[in-house]
Amino acid sequence: RVCRSVVTLLTARTEYVEPHIESLVAFMLQSTADGVAHPTVALEAAEFWPAFSYLSDDACTPKMTEAVGAVLPQLIPILLNNMVYTSDEVAELLEDNAADVAAGSRAHDAAPVFHKGRSAHGTAGDAEDGDDNDDDRNGDDDDVDNEWTLRKCSAAGLDSLALAYGPERVLPVLLPCL
């Protein structure tokens, strides 16, 4: 819960985080790296990086930007490592792919899906046909793909840091790791 609290404080009151940014960045870096021993803590710590990257220019001071920028050489390999599928997940994906091939593909399985924003769906009181669950086409409520995981959070963090710091700071560290 400490990591979650730090992220909340970062997004709500950066003026309290800024004097302690170096130690907080070091703590979040270590906590993000601890995904094997403490996956929940690592997930909560990994939330720090996209939250930091999306701070407004007014909220993020140069001291904060430099503190995170200084750990990019250590952070990027950690985020990449957190994005790797485990052997169990690879086996599950292979089984799912084999089942899909065995079942045969249908044209509507490969058709693009166009998602609508929240306002396009209307509110709960606006349902015209009484069916407020149009996304349940197949009848299964399998939300495994929609679960927020350390892998997805690490990918979001790497993406947001790449946008915030640019290719000049990220690519020299990222490319050798690939």
Side-chain angles (χ1 to χ4, degrees):
R1 298 200 189 273
V2 171
C3 293
R4 189 180 311 169
S5 298
V6 170
V7 172
T8 301
L9 193 59
L10 174 73
T11 58
R13 301 299 300 255
T14 55
E15 68 271 16
Y16 295 126
V17 172
E18 196 263 343
H20 311 284
I21 191 68
E22 290 90 1
S23 59
L24 288 172
V25 165
F27 173 74
M28 295 306 240
L29 179 69
Q30 181 62 40
S31 298
T32 302
D34 206 15
V36 174
H38 304 285
T40 303
V41 173
L43 174 59
E44 291 175 2
E47 293 277 353
F48 181 84
W49 311 113
F52 173 82
S53 297
Y54 293 128
L55 289 175
S56 69
D57 290 338
D58 295 335
C60 188
T61 66
K63 177 182 177 182
M64 294 171 73
T65 302
E66 188 52 40
V68 172
V71 300
L72 286 177
Q74 296 87 27
L75 177 60
I76 290 172
I78 290 169
L79 293 174
L80 282 174
N81 188 47
N82 288 344
M83 292 166 52
V84 174
Y85 283 97
T86 65
S87 57
D88 292 339
E89 292 168 327
V90 170
E92 184 179 331
L93 287 171
L94 291 173
E95 288 175 15
D96 289 347
N97 286 344
D100 289 345
V101 169
S105 62
R106 297 176 298 250
H108 73 275
D109 289 341
V113 176
F114 298 101
H115 296 282
K116 298 177 184 174
R118 181 180 297 274
S119 62
H121 287 293
T123 59
D126 293 342
E128 294 175 16
D129 60 357
D131 182 15
D132 61 346
N133 193 3
D134 293 336
D135 295 332
D136 193 17
R137 291 183 190 102
N138 297 335
D140 57 333
D141 293 326
D142 190 24
D143 287 334
V144 173
D145 292 339
N146 294 328
E147 181 182 349
W148 189 243
T149 63
L150 179 58
R151 179 184 318 94
K152 291 176 183 179
C153 186
S154 295
L158 182 58
D159 181 50
S160 62
L161 288 168
L163 289 172
Y165 285 92
E168 305 82 25
R169 302 268 315 257
V170 174
L171 285 179
V173 178
L174 179 67
L175 290 177
C177 296
L178 299 177

